[in-house]
Amino acid sequence: MAAVTVSSRRVMTDSAGASERSGRVSAPCARVQAPGATCWKRDIVRQLKHRDLRQHVMFQDLIRFYTQLLEKTSLAKGILSCSVRRPSSDSSISSLLHRNNQLKKTTGELAYQVVELQQQIKIKECVLEEQHARLSEEKRRLAGAFDARRELQGQVEQVQEENMALKMEYDALLERQRGAETRLREEKVRGGHLLEDMIHLKQQAAARMNSRNERRSRAREANLQKQLQTAARSKVTVDSSSSAPTSRSTSPKNENHHESTGRGHTRLFRSASVTSPRIFTSIKELFDRKRRGHSVCSLEEDLMCPVGICLSARVPVRARHVLEAHEQGINAVRFSSSSDLLATGGTDRVIKLWEVRAGSLTHRATLEGSTEGITCIEFNPTGQRILAASYDKSALLWQRDESVPKLTLTGHSRKVTAARFSSVPHQVVTGSADRTIRLWDLHRAACVQVVEVASYCSDLVCSENSIISGHYDSKIRVWDTRTVGCVQELPAQGKVTSLDISSDQRQLLSCCRDDCLQLVDLRRWSNDRVCFRAEGFKCGSDSTKAVISPDGCFLAAGSADGAVYIWNVSTGNLETRLPDKHSSSISAVSWSLSGEHVVSVDKSRMAVLWSDI
């Protein structure tokens, strides 16, 4: 209560002092009549009013409470003065005492409220100080954020400058690349022209050589005939001791007769003789003509071996041998024509040969030479040569008993996906991811024909006078080897992953990414085909291989679930399913020409030999 009174008195004193100062200030202003006196007077009055307003706002609550206390005090004084002037009875005194107690109680409550308000003021001052501290901290953080923003802006500007420089470099490199691509196209065109010129020159040289060899052959034959005629006309003297002594002693006439007869017979015998060294050499040269030159094929390799014919293929029912055949995944597998030799190739860059004996596979040899993984394997009809396609953009040719390749065919710009022996002797066909099909002459070890294709070539097969290729654009294309042109396009259900042709070359099997096998009759060359599906069968990759049995009655393919599926061609139904031996997707299968065995290989390095025994 005392604190409130003192504060109120200070406020009143300050107000009175302000009034006195304003009065003292205003007096000189009244006396001074200068023109600029009103300006500083107004300024002082404005400042005083602003100070009064600020102090009034600060102590407004205290003044209000103090005014209420004064009103209650004046009321109490008035009541007491009335009681003094007019003494009353004891009841009025007791009522006044009661009212006095109430006033005291009210005064205490007001004093308690004043104390609470002071505490609230202190709390608010503490909160205000904390807020000021937080504000200063936020200001410091804001200043730091502004500094970081300036740094980031500098970094952004620097990065933008670097990006501009890189863009300029990129534009320059792009321009250089365009120029390089233009030069590359020009060089490709020039290279194509040079290749055509070279092939034309080689053809001319071959024609000249053939003509020269023909002339030499005719000259040697004419010379041989002349020598034979000369030998037939020549006379040879026979020794007289060869005649009978009784004839000589009997009559000289008879002796002369026998001598002349002997001469005649001797001449005829000499005319039929071929023991002359020159004649024998000429005949030997005639037979050795074809063995001259730089051919990679020998006479022994060209001799055709008898090939067995499968009358009835046997459907396998169980696994005879399971082994880890390679160090990495296996991509291709193929039986030889004799069915006793198996070749496997994988991403470990080697081809392994296995002997099939008594229901098991025995490692025989390893063929090396490829710098990347093997994609396709093919035996020639005699089984003496092995052709393989590789990821290293080449096709390789091995002799069966040699570990290094005898020939490497290079020219593709991307991986070679298929390599097959052509129906023409000493020719092979390759298909590649570079959308080309190439025909190679093994005699010259050179590419003799290039066919541009509209899509990625995944596989191909060869038949008489035609090449059939499968592509990623869901098309199967038939090419005439005589005109080297596409004569027909057969639609497929999806990406073609593999092709296989029956032994009689009447049916074509295609495996597609839509988990379907399709069989086409090549005798009709129509779009009619038979589709084979099975629950659970799924084509595991873009290079999954499917095959036809040697007798053409069954189809076999490996699935992504590690099982081998075999269909019956005549019924169109699934014949059998061989599970549980592969732990990953099967990449290829092969059926022996004898019809006894089926081999499946997968991406986890496993090979399984299946049989019906």
Side-chain angles (χ1 to χ4, degrees):
M1 185 68 182
V4 175
T5 306
V6 172
S7 299
S8 302
R9 289 177 179 176
R10 288 180 181 175
V11 173
M12 296 174 66
T13 305
D14 292 338
S15 301
S19 300
E20 291 178 357
R21 284 193 299 272
S22 61
R24 286 195 296 270
V25 172
S26 59
C29 291
R31 289 193 296 268
V32 178
Q33 301 296 328
T38 58
C39 295
W40 60 267
K41 181 178 178 181
R42 291 173 186 167
D43 185 53
I44 290 173
V45 171
R46 186 173 59 254
Q47 291 179 5
L48 292 175
K49 288 182 179 180
H50 180 67
R51 188 187 65 179
D52 292 341
L53 181 61
R54 184 174 64 253
Q55 292 179 355
H56 180 73
V57 170
M58 292 174 59
F59 297 98
Q60 185 175 5
D61 295 335
L62 293 176
I63 293 170
R64 187 173 63 254
F65 285 114
Y66 182 73
T67 304
Q68 292 177 0
L69 288 174
L70 288 179
E71 290 176 355
K72 290 181 181 180
T73 304
S74 61
L75 179 61
K77 287 181 180 180
I79 293 171
L80 290 175
S81 61
C82 292
S83 63
V84 171
R85 287 193 301 269
R86 293 180 300 197
S88 61
S89 62
D90 295 334
S91 59
S92 61
I93 292 172
S94 61
S95 63
L96 290 175
L97 290 175
H98 179 68
R99 292 182 65 184
N100 188 21
N101 292 331
Q102 289 181 351
L103 290 175
K104 287 180 180 180
K105 185 178 179 180
T106 304
T107 303
E109 291 176 356
L110 293 175
Y112 180 73
Q113 291 178 3
V114 169
V115 173
E116 286 183 348
L117 289 173
Q118 288 179 350
Q119 291 178 355
Q120 293 178 3
I121 289 172
K122 290 181 180 180
I123 293 171
K124 289 184 178 181
E125 287 178 352
C126 294
V127 172
L128 186 61
E129 290 178 358
E130 292 178 357
Q131 290 180 351
H132 280 299
R134 290 176 57 187
L135 182 61
S136 60
E137 182 66 25
E138 293 296 331
K139 287 182 178 179
R140 285 195 297 271
R141 291 178 58 186
L142 184 61
F146 278 122
D147 294 338
R149 179 174 174 271
R150 284 195 295 271
E151 292 179 359
L152 290 176
Q153 284 181 346
Q155 293 179 3
V156 168
E157 292 176 357
Q158 183 179 358
V159 170
Q160 287 178 350
E161 292 177 357
E162 293 177 356
N163 287 340
M164 290 296 295
L166 290 175
K167 187 176 182 304
M168 294 175 64
E169 293 179 2
Y170 172 76
D171 293 338
L173 289 174
L174 190 61
E175 191 65 28
R176 290 174 58 187
Q177 180 189 2
R178 290 172 181 169
E181 288 178 351
T182 303
R183 292 193 298 272
L184 178 62
R185 286 193 294 269
E186 294 175 355
E187 292 297 329
K188 282 185 176 179
V189 173
R190 187 183 303 172
H193 293 327
L194 290 176
L195 183 61
E196 292 176 357
D197 295 341
M198 184 177 67
I199 293 174
H200 183 64
L201 292 175
K202 285 187 176 181
Q203 290 175 351
Q204 291 180 350
R208 289 195 299 269
M209 184 177 294
N210 292 335
S211 177
R212 187 163 55 251
N213 291 337
E214 187 68 23
R215 289 196 301 270
R216 289 178 181 176
S217 175
R218 287 197 298 267
R220 280 195 295 269
E221 291 176 357
N223 189 19
L224 181 60
Q225 291 179 0
K226 185 177 180 181
Q227 289 179 2
L228 290 174
Q229 292 174 1
T230 304
R233 287 194 301 268
S234 63
K235 296 180 180 181
V236 179
T237 303
V238 180
D239 192 3
S240 60
S241 60
S242 62
S243 301
T246 55
S247 300
R248 290 169 57 188
S249 61
T250 304
S251 172
K253 185 175 180 179
N254 291 335
E255 181 180 356
N256 294 334
H257 174 73
H258 285 299
E259 183 178 357
S260 61
T261 305
R263 289 176 182 175
H265 285 293
T266 303
R267 183 176 61 83
L268 291 175
F269 177 77
R270 179 64 182 267
S271 67
S273 174
V274 290
T275 58
S276 173
R278 295 178 61 188
I279 296 174
F280 192 75
T281 303
S282 300
I283 295 174
K284 184 173 182 295
E285 288 179 355
L286 284 176
F287 283 102
D288 288 345
R289 269 189 316 171
K290 295 183 179 180
R291 302 182 65 177
R292 297 178 181 176
H294 301 284
S295 172
V296 298
C297 305
S298 63
L299 184 61
E300 291 79 3
E301 296 173 1
D302 297 337
L303 296 176
M304 297 297 293
C305 295
V307 177
I309 299 176
C310 176
L311 299 178
S312 177
R314 289 182 269 178
V315 178
V317 294
R318 70 184 187 92
R320 295 293 304 275
H321 193 192
V322 181
L323 77 160
E324 186 174 314
H326 286 256
E327 296 178 358
Q328 298 181 23
I330 307 175
N331 301 327
V333 61
R334 181 72 65 175
F335 274 100
S336 66
S337 57
S338 59
S339 300
D340 60 351
L341 190 66
L342 179 75
T344 58
T347 54
D348 55 359
R349 302 176 294 181
V350 297
I351 293 177
K352 292 188 177 182
L353 301 181
W354 309 85
E355 288 185 354
V356 183
R357 185 181 303 169
S360 64
L361 299 176
T362 305
H363 182 256
R364 174 175 174 177
T366 300
L367 308 182
E368 301 176 346
S370 175
T371 59
E372 294 188 29
I374 303 296
T375 60
C376 178
I377 300 175
E378 177 85 349
F379 281 94
N380 74 327
T382 65
Q384 297 297 319
R385 283 178 280 177
I386 301 168
L387 179 66
S390 173
Y391 277 92
D392 63 0
K393 310 173 187 177
S394 68
L396 301 97
L397 182 69
W398 284 270
Q399 284 295 112
R400 191 173 69 176
D401 298 327
E402 298 178 4
S403 61
V404 295
K406 189 172 184 179
L407 186 64
T408 302
L409 306 175
T410 59
H412 286 286
S413 60
R414 295 181 65 184
K415 70 175 180 179
V416 181
T417 55
R420 307 288 183 187
F421 286 99
S422 173
S423 57
V424 180
H426 313 306
Q427 284 189 355
V428 297
V429 183
T430 58
S432 171
D434 62 0
R435 300 183 179 183
T436 62
I437 297 174
R438 292 176 180 261
L439 186 65
W440 307 83
D441 186 355
L442 297 182
H443 279 301
R444 294 186 290 170
C447 177
V448 296
Q449 193 65 252
V450 181
V451 179
E452 298 286 342
V453 192
S455 178
Y456 182 116
C457 178
S458 58
D459 199 4
L460 56 85
V461 293
C462 298
S463 63
E464 187 178 359
N465 298 326
S466 65
I467 300 171
I468 306 172
S469 58
H471 302 271
Y472 274 11
D473 62 352
S474 304
K475 295 289 182 62
I476 298 173
R477 293 176 171 85
V478 183
W479 309 85
D480 191 339
T481 56
R482 293 164 295 187
T483 61
V484 195
C486 183
V487 296
Q488 189 172 8
E489 285 189 358
L490 303 175
Q493 298 295 327
K495 280 184 181 180
V496 180
T497 64
S498 71
L499 296 176
D500 193 29
I501 193 168
S502 61
S503 301
D504 56 5
Q505 297 187 353
R506 295 180 178 180
Q507 293 178 319
L508 175 70
L509 173 67
S510 64
C511 180
C512 301
R513 283 293 277 170
D514 66 337
D515 308 328
C516 174
L517 272 64
Q518 298 180 0
L519 197 62
V520 180
D521 191 346
L522 298 180
R523 294 170 295 181
R524 298 179 182 177
W525 289 117
S526 65
N527 293 335
D528 297 335
R529 79 263 337 266
V530 181
C531 295
F532 297 85
R533 298 180 184 270
E535 184 178 358
F537 175 75
K538 185 174 180 60
C539 186
S541 68
D542 290 341
S543 59
T544 300
K545 309 294 183 185
V547 294
I548 308 177
S549 65
D551 59 354
C553 296
F554 301 98
L555 310 178
S559 174
D561 60 0
V564 178
Y565 289 75
I566 298 178
W567 288 267
N568 191 314
V569 174
S570 59
T571 63
N573 298 325
L574 184 67
E575 185 74 16
T576 185
R577 178 178 179 270
L578 307 175
D580 303 332
K581 297 301 178 182
H582 291 280
S583 60
S584 63
S585 175
I586 297 177
S587 54
V589 294
S590 181
W591 209 311
S592 65
L593 191 59
S594 63
E596 298 177 0
H597 299 101
V598 173
V599 171
S600 57
V601 295
D602 62 23
K603 298 295 185 181
S604 60
R605 306 171 291 181
M606 302 303 295
V608 181
L609 178 66
W610 305 88
S611 177
D612 64 335
I613 302 175

